[in-house]
Amino acid sequence: MATNRAAATEHLFSYGTLQQADVQLATFGRLLDSRPDRLPGYCLALLAIDDAQVVATSGKTHHPIASRGEPADGVPGAVLAVTLEELRQADAYEVAAYRRERVTLASGAQAWAYVDARATLP
């Protein structure tokens, strides 16, 4: 089923594998429109991925994971334009260590981002 780009009403900030063309094609069946942005107040670590399907899709055994850091910290990435259905597909792709939460980016835009679910909520 072809996705109508006009239906891409959600913004998803990606700092990792969801920016990869092969992951987008495998997860969403298309390449997503994107623009650069930054997630302030977060820092990155690496997470070992033990889900064989996710490793097969991304080609990587370790993925970056964003956790709250200092105000001066920031994570570069891209804002992806997705539909509600694609947001659900992204949820299915991400492993349990990630939690999707609403964030404010350096541009001032609101977006969803997958952050460290193991960290305590503010």
Side-chain angles (χ1 to χ4, degrees):
M1 179 172 95
T3 302
N4 180 355
R5 288 178 191 245
T9 58
E10 297 295 317
H11 295 112
L12 177 61
F13 179 76
S14 173
Y15 51 85
T17 61
L18 285 174
Q19 293 180 76
Q20 294 175 210
D22 54 343
V23 172
Q24 289 182 12
L25 290 171
T27 305
F28 310 114
R30 70 181 182 100
L31 295 177
L32 303 175
D33 291 332
S34 67
R35 62 179 167 74
D37 213 324
R38 186 172 168 273
L39 179 58
Y42 283 78
C43 55
L44 289 181
L46 283 179
L47 174 72
I49 303 297
D50 57 11
D51 183 308
Q53 181 62 40
V54 173
V55 171
T57 301
S58 71
K60 297 178 180 177
T61 58
H62 289 76
H63 290 190
I65 190 164
S67 299
R68 288 198 188 276
E70 299 299 320
D73 292 336
V75 174
V79 178
L80 310 175
V82 296
T83 65
L84 284 172
E85 177 57 29
E86 289 167 337
L87 200 53
R88 288 189 282 275
Q89 292 166 330
D91 288 345
Y93 168 76
E94 296 294 354
V95 298
Y98 293 92
R99 167 183 75 241
R100 179 165 47 97
E101 82 178 33
R102 203 63 142 142
V103 296
T104 301
L105 302 173
S107 66
Q110 293 281 308
W112 295 106
Y114 292 100
V115 299
D116 195 338
R118 303 163 303 171
T120 328
L121 289 172

